[in-house]
Amino acid sequence: MKESIKILLAEDEPALGLIVKESLETRDFEVLFCKNGEEALRIYQIKKPDLLVLDVMMPKKDGFTLAKEIRKEDSSIPIIFLTAKSQTKDVIEGFEHGGNDYLKKPFSMEELIVRIHALLNRSQLKQAKNHITIGNYLFNYTKQTLVFEEETQPLTHREAELLFHLTEKSNAILDRSEILKKIWGDDDFFNARSMDVFITKLRKKLKKDSNIQIVNVRGYGYKLIC
């Protein structure tokens, strides 16, 4: 019998939390429901869920702080933030703290289900590609490392995300707007400049193999050539 996918739901509004919990359980998910950040961290460490759905504004420990602490232990677990906040800076902050997706309240359960399945599918793909060869480098997405000969370079969460998407489109164009929305949450000017900085960082980390290039295709995006 296939084991149910475990979802940790942290939501301090009891009524909303129960609605989400019951809806997910009708889709055969196992739901670990917590009402504050401290309880959620404790349950996460005991139960090791497959995906997190975290309210941002919670007592004892907010969702952003909780995600930041969990990211120190697990760089790849999918995280969806739930929030009533709608400003772009709040969305950006969510992604900066390691979130993979951001759902604004009020939301439909169908939209949450679709996003959960999309993140789980992406997570399974990444786990299957934990050892990716890039020229003479070995890239491990889960461990967030780049290995060249005997030297190991650590990557940040966002560097690893960006490099993974570049490898998926190796020798083809990675659409600029699409990747900005996936990783940064918005394709505005500020985020575009931020991505340019991360591209520069990745170029420096891959410079020991002269056959590797990350090319800027003006007006379209980037291409990893190797």
Side-chain angles (χ1 to χ4, degrees):
M1 183 177 178
K2 186 177 179 181
E3 188 176 346
S4 296
I5 292 172
K6 290 197 290 287
I7 294 179
L8 189 152
L9 168 65
E11 169 59 64
D12 71 329
E13 295 180 41
L16 175 60
L18 287 173
I19 290 170
V20 174
K21 178 179 185 293
E22 290 172 3
S23 296
L24 291 175
E25 287 175 340
T26 64
R27 272 78 169 186
D28 297 324
F29 291 109
E30 178 185 345
V31 182
L32 311 167
F33 179 33
C34 306
K35 297 178 182 178
N36 64 67
E38 286 187 359
E39 180 187 1
L41 181 60
R42 185 172 66 253
I43 296 300
Y44 161 78
Q45 291 170 334
I46 296 170
K47 297 292 188 177
K48 297 300 180 184
D50 301 294
L51 182 142
L52 309 177
V53 178
L54 309 179
D55 183 30
V56 172
M57 302 299 292
M58 291 189 292
K60 298 186 180 180
K61 193 186 296 289
D62 65 85
F64 289 163
T65 302
L66 174 60
K68 188 175 180 180
E69 292 181 8
I70 288 174
R71 278 284 174 246
K72 293 176 182 177
E73 300 182 33
D74 190 331
S75 65
S76 61
I77 186 170
I79 299 176
I80 299 175
F81 286 120
L82 303 178
T83 183
K85 295 183 176 183
S86 59
Q87 294 186 16
T88 301
K89 67 180 181 65
D90 298 315
V91 177
I92 293 171
E93 186 178 1
F95 285 101
E96 289 286 352
H97 284 82
N100 300 101
D101 208 344
Y102 201 98
L103 201 53
K104 297 173 187 176
K105 298 177 181 178
F107 56 88
S108 74
M109 278 306 306
E110 290 307 316
E111 182 178 6
L112 177 59
I113 296 294
V114 167
R115 292 181 184 230
I116 286 173
H117 281 298
L119 284 178
L120 288 171
N121 290 339
R122 194 186 312 168
S123 177
Q124 289 168 2
L125 175 63
K126 287 172 180 176
Q127 289 174 16
K129 294 186 175 181
N130 267 345
H131 296 87
I132 303 170
T133 300
I134 308 172
N136 291 316
Y137 285 85
L138 187 62
F139 170 42
N140 188 305
Y141 170 78
T142 301
K143 292 183 178 179
Q144 297 182 174
T145 57
L146 260 181
V147 179
F148 181 85
E149 295 179 350
E150 300 298 319
E151 180 185 356
T152 299
Q153 298 182 82
L155 300 172
T156 66
H157 175 72
R158 187 158 288 180
E159 286 171 343
E161 284 284 336
L162 184 53
L163 185 56
F164 177 80
H165 286 288
L166 283 165
T167 60
E168 276 197 307
K169 291 279 189 176
S170 185
N171 296 308
I173 296 174
L174 178 65
D175 183 86
R176 185 182 185 86
S177 178
E178 180 183 341
I179 202 61
L180 278 168
K181 290 175 181 176
K182 278 185 179 179
I183 300 180
W184 275 264
D186 197 300
D187 61 350
D188 62 20
F189 177 82
F190 175 81
N191 288 333
R193 296 284 74 80
S194 175
M195 185 168 73
D196 289 340
V197 171
F198 277 87
I199 289 290
T200 299
K201 290 179 179 179
L202 288 176
R203 283 175 177 146
K204 288 180 180 178
K205 292 187 174 183
L206 293 165
K207 68 181 181 180
K208 291 189 176 180
D209 186 338
S210 59
N211 293 315
I212 299 173
Q213 297 180 65
I214 301 178
V215 179
N216 182 8
V217 183
R218 188 174 296 277
Y220 294 96
Y222 293 99
K223 182 188 289 189
L224 173 65
I225 301 173
C226 59

